[in-house]
Amino acid sequence: MADIARRTDHRYGNRPTMKDVAARAGVGLKTVSRVVNGEPGVTTDTERRVQEAIEALGFRRNDSARVLRKGRTATVGLVLEDLADPFYGPLSRAVEEVARAHGALLINGSSAEDPDREQELALALCARRVDGLIVIPAGDDHRYLEPEIRAGVATVFVDRPAGRIDADAVLSDSFGGARDGVAHLIAHGHRRIGFVGDRPRIHTGAERLRGYRAAMEDAGLPVREEWVSLGSTHPERVGAAVREMLAAPEPVTALFAGNNRVTVTAVRALAGHASPVALVGFDDIELADLLGITVIAQDAAALGRTAAERLFRRLDGAGGPPERVVLGTTLIARGSGEIAAPAG
């Protein structure tokens, strides 16, 4: 009970120090340091007393101070778009596993697709002396990171490239994946194909739109203005766009959805439609196999793993100019993209 009382005497945030341990164990500060760091020169009885004091006080070694003396903090930062987005779960987990294999701790946060919040978060992580950063950018100007990179913070961009600076980037083939998905719809007889995508300022959104246009051009098909809708992925905006395309005098017979959130809303909008409409979505979604949704799948775990491995190679001294790695995508046919165009 006395030990418990002593522990609760401390205010929150007022952690016990090695000096407290030394006073409780009746030894010098250097002796405590030797025990904490596993160094020789301490008798068995003294080590036992120090360990008992450590346990009683709840002391934890200040790793930050120790690693700062070595110039590395053994932490890396990950700036995501949205922690709640299922796409980023396997990506974050893959980064964490690589970091763990290198003895480093991962700290992550969400930019909420806000460039100012991205900058605030990235610089906050740098202020906490992370060794490196992996960034999924929300903005298109990353010159704010130039002083940090010059100071030695290894930085890799993933899913989207950096804006206005040269930096390592690991991307999915958004252009090629979208072109393949639209070509798949064309191969099933569709000529009026709608594209519902993200904001055009976002690299992945722009690349997928470019892939859509390329597939249509390759097939000699026109792209009407009313067949393309770009903007927020909010369900209300996406649902309205899909319904408008389906209610046009010459309605689309197929849709290409620019990302997983658009696909989910498109599935709901098409559920009440009188005639079948073909659908291919970019990104896999939960239950897509059961719902029969054809998708262009990107390997989120491979993106995260490749970016993290590149980051740690830089931290281990790998030189050379920044590199851009582009990972391929896979078309998974499950039924919705194989609905044939109506006759006539």
Side-chain angles (χ1 to χ4, degrees):
M1 292 298 292
D3 282 344
I4 293 174
R6 272 190 290 270
R7 289 181 191 174
T8 56
D9 281 343
H10 292 288
R11 287 177 173 268
Y12 289 117
N14 187 18
R15 297 176 179 175
T17 65
M18 283 203 293
K19 188 174 181 180
D20 297 325
V21 174
R24 184 179 179 91
V27 299
L29 196 58
K30 182 62 177 175
T31 300
V32 175
S33 177
R34 285 174 176 157
V35 173
V36 167
N37 293 299
E39 298 172 359
V42 182
T43 66
T44 301
D45 181 63
T46 300
E47 182 178 359
R48 176 186 56 76
R49 297 204 326 269
V50 172
Q51 292 290 5
E52 287 175 351
I54 287 172
E55 183 177 350
L57 294 172
F59 170 80
R60 293 292 180 270
R61 181 176 63 185
N62 185 348
D63 279 343
S64 296
R66 182 174 60 91
V67 295
L68 279 171
R69 287 194 297 271
K70 298 181 178 181
R72 294 275 289 268
T73 63
T75 58
V76 294
L78 172 61
V79 180
L80 297 165
E81 175 199 340
D82 184 356
L83 291 169
D85 189 327
F87 173 75
Y88 295 118
L91 188 153
S92 177
R93 178 63 181 271
V95 172
E96 185 176 29
E97 288 301 316
V98 174
R100 186 170 180 267
H102 285 81
L105 178 70
L106 176 68
I107 306 172
N108 60 31
S110 172
S111 70
E113 202 61 66
D114 180 344
D116 291 336
R117 185 165 166 176
E118 173 214 300
Q119 178 174 339
E120 179 184 354
L121 178 57
L123 292 179
L125 290 167
C126 290
R128 284 159 177 75
R129 303 292 297 272
V130 294
D131 299 323
L133 280 176
I134 295 176
V135 181
I136 297 172
D140 55 9
D141 186 349
H142 294 92
R143 289 175 296 177
Y144 70 86
L145 279 173
E146 285 182 329
E148 309 300 332
I149 294 171
R150 285 196 299 268
V153 179
T155 305
V156 177
F157 289 78
V158 65
D159 191 42
R160 307 163 187 170
R164 306 186 72 176
I165 65 169
D166 291 325
D168 290 317
V170 180
L171 317 173
S172 287
D173 186 6
S174 286
F175 168 77
R179 183 180 57 188
D180 291 346
V182 176
H184 186 72
L185 292 168
I186 293 170
H188 284 81
H190 296 279
R191 299 296 179 264
R192 300 194 304 270
I193 302 170
F195 178 91
V196 185
D198 212 333
R199 297 176 179 89
R201 69 171 177 79
I202 296 173
H203 173 81
T204 48
E207 284 294 283
R208 291 166 197 175
L209 174 60
R210 193 167 70 88
Y212 161 79
R213 291 188 180 279
M216 297 291 278
E217 183 179 350
D218 290 345
L221 298 174
V223 175
R224 296 184 183 175
E225 182 180 345
E226 61 267 26
W227 294 352
V228 176
S229 179
L230 307 175
S232 164
T233 58
H234 191 280
E236 287 186 9
R237 201 283 301 180
V238 172
V242 171
R243 289 188 294 272
E244 187 174 341
M245 290 181 189
L246 296 177
E250 289 188 284
V252 298
T253 63
L255 286 171
F256 186 83
N259 65 28
N260 55 357
R261 285 166 289 188
V262 174
T263 302
V264 169
T265 301
V267 169
R268 291 190 174 118
L270 294 176
H273 193 61
S275 57
V277 176
L279 172 68
V280 174
F282 203 109
D283 290 337
D284 212 350
I285 60 172
E286 190 175 3
L287 301 181
D289 53 341
L290 296 178
L291 295 172
I293 308 301
T294 297
V295 298
I296 300 296
Q298 52 181 334
D299 192 336
L303 282 170
R305 183 170 55 253
T306 304
E309 288 170 350
R310 182 64 186 166
L311 184 77
F312 281 98
R313 282 198 296 273
R314 290 295 193 192
L315 288 171
D316 289 339
E323 296 180 357
R324 178 177 292 198
V325 178
V326 180
L327 305 183
T329 58
T330 304
L331 190 150
I332 304 175
R334 296 189 177 117
S336 70
E338 293 68 57
I339 297 172

